[in-house]
């Protein structure tokens, strides 16, 4: 998405940075892992295809992606110095043709050393606040594999998403979080405190 092509968002544990070509090689390594492929419902791509995907996503107004940097880890070789090592990513997909203010969210923490430390939670809290303020999102939606207990707990218990449907065919659960009432106020308050930066001068 062009809007966030040079935007960074810094939290206590993570820094969200735009997905750039220097991130593709490590991302490609992650996506060779069958467990991550299953968790993200992704098909393995060639390195050339990953570079092509990165270029397309940077121009696609229906997708917003940030790479998640873990501030407790050293910068990933080849990606410059931006305050942390690559640990995963967060995405929003605007694929509801009836309502472009509905966004499907995804988070992936690919580095084992960055898991179970609250990294995914903080990344989503920052990302969702950004999305409400700058992308005018009015509802978040997630689709999670029914056996992915960690993600179901993250979205359902910690972020307040509510189950709206289950697919026995795809073996996945759909949860939603309308941006209204106390949820809206909380996200708006967090949005006003976002530490935004510029990637190319970081």
């Amino acid at each position: 998405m062009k809007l966030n092509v040079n935007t960074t968002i810094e939290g206590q544990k993570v820094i969200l940075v735009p997905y750039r070509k220097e991130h593709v090689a490590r991302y490609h390594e992650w996506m060779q892992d069958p467990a991550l492929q299953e968790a993200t419902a992704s098909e393995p791509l060639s390195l050339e295809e990953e570079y092509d995907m990165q270029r397309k996503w940077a121009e696609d107004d229906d997708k917003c992606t940030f790479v998640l940097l873990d501030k407790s880890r050293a910068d990933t070789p080849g990606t410059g110095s931006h305050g942390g090592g690559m640990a995963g990513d967060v995405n929003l997909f605007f694929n509801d043709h009836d309502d472009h203010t509905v966004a499907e969210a995804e988070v992936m923490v690919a580095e084992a050393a960055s898991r179970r430390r609250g990294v995914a939670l903080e990344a989503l809290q920052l990302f969702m606040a950004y999305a409400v303020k700058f992308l005018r999102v009015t509802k978040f939606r997630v689709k999670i594999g029914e056996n992915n207990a960690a993600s179901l707990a993250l979205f359902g218990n910690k972020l307040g998403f509510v189950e709206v449907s289950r697919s026995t065919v795809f073996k996945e659960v759909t949860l939603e979080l309308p941006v209204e009432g106390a949820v809206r106020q909380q996200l708006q308050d967090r949005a006003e405190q976002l530490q935004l930066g510029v990637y190319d001068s970081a």
Side-chain angles (χ1 to χ4, degrees):
M1 179 174 281
K2 293 179 181 178
L3 180 66
N4 75 314
V5 72
N6 202 30
T7 300
T8 66
I9 310 173
E10 183 167 359
Q12 294 183 340
K13 299 179 180 180
V14 305
I15 305 173
L16 304 184
V17 301
Y19 183 32
R20 296 287 190 83
K21 63 181 180 181
E22 59 263 33
H23 301 126
V24 173
R26 177 57 62 88
Y27 186 85
H28 179 67
E29 291 178 15
W30 291 339
M31 299 315 296
Q32 304 310 300
D33 182 345
L36 287 177
Q37 292 172 18
E38 181 179 357
T40 58
S42 301
E43 295 292 332
L45 301 177
S46 69
L47 183 57
E48 182 179 347
E49 289 171 328
E50 292 282 15
Y51 276 109
D52 186 52
M53 186 73 73
Q54 182 273 326
R55 287 191 295 269
K56 289 179 178 177
W57 281 29
E59 299 289 326
D60 191 341
D61 286 336
D62 288 333
K63 299 178 180 67
C64 185
T65 297
F66 282 98
V67 169
L68 192 167
L69 303 185
D70 183 342
K71 294 171 69 173
S72 73
R73 301 177 61 242
D75 291 287
T76 302
T79 65
S81 179
H82 294 282
M86 287 178 64
D89 68 354
V90 285
N91 303 284
L92 286 180
F93 301 97
F94 294 87
N95 50 20
D96 188 320
H97 300 297
D98 295 323
D99 188 348
H100 202 69
T101 67
V102 175
E104 183 177 334
E106 287 184 353
V107 63
M108 175 182 72
V109 179
E111 294 289 343
S114 297
R115 294 174 185 157
R116 297 178 179 85
R117 296 181 43 251
V119 166
L121 176 61
E122 184 181 75
L124 284 165
Q125 289 172 332
L126 295 172
F127 194 28
M128 289 166 63
Y130 174 86
V132 168
K133 181 172 182 177
F134 294 102
L135 303 177
R136 303 291 185 249
V137 172
T138 63
K139 182 188 292 184
F140 294 97
R141 178 179 293 146
V142 291
K143 295 180 180 180
I144 302 171
E146 61 185 15
N147 295 323
N148 191 340
S151 287
L152 289 170
L154 171 62
F155 284 97
N157 298 341
K158 296 181 179 179
L159 290 170
F161 281 63
V162 175
E163 181 180 332
V164 294
S165 66
R166 282 181 180 256
S167 170
T168 55
V169 175
F170 296 107
K171 296 183 178 180
E172 67 181 15
V173 184
T174 299
L175 301 92
E176 292 183 347
L177 181 69
V179 181
E180 55 190 29
V183 171
R184 175 186 291 277
Q185 190 62 53
Q186 183 182 56
L187 289 170
Q188 288 178 336
D189 290 347
R190 185 173 287 125
E192 293 306 312
Q193 299 173 19
L194 288 176
Q195 296 185 44
L196 301 178
V198 179
Y199 180 77
D200 285 327
S201 66

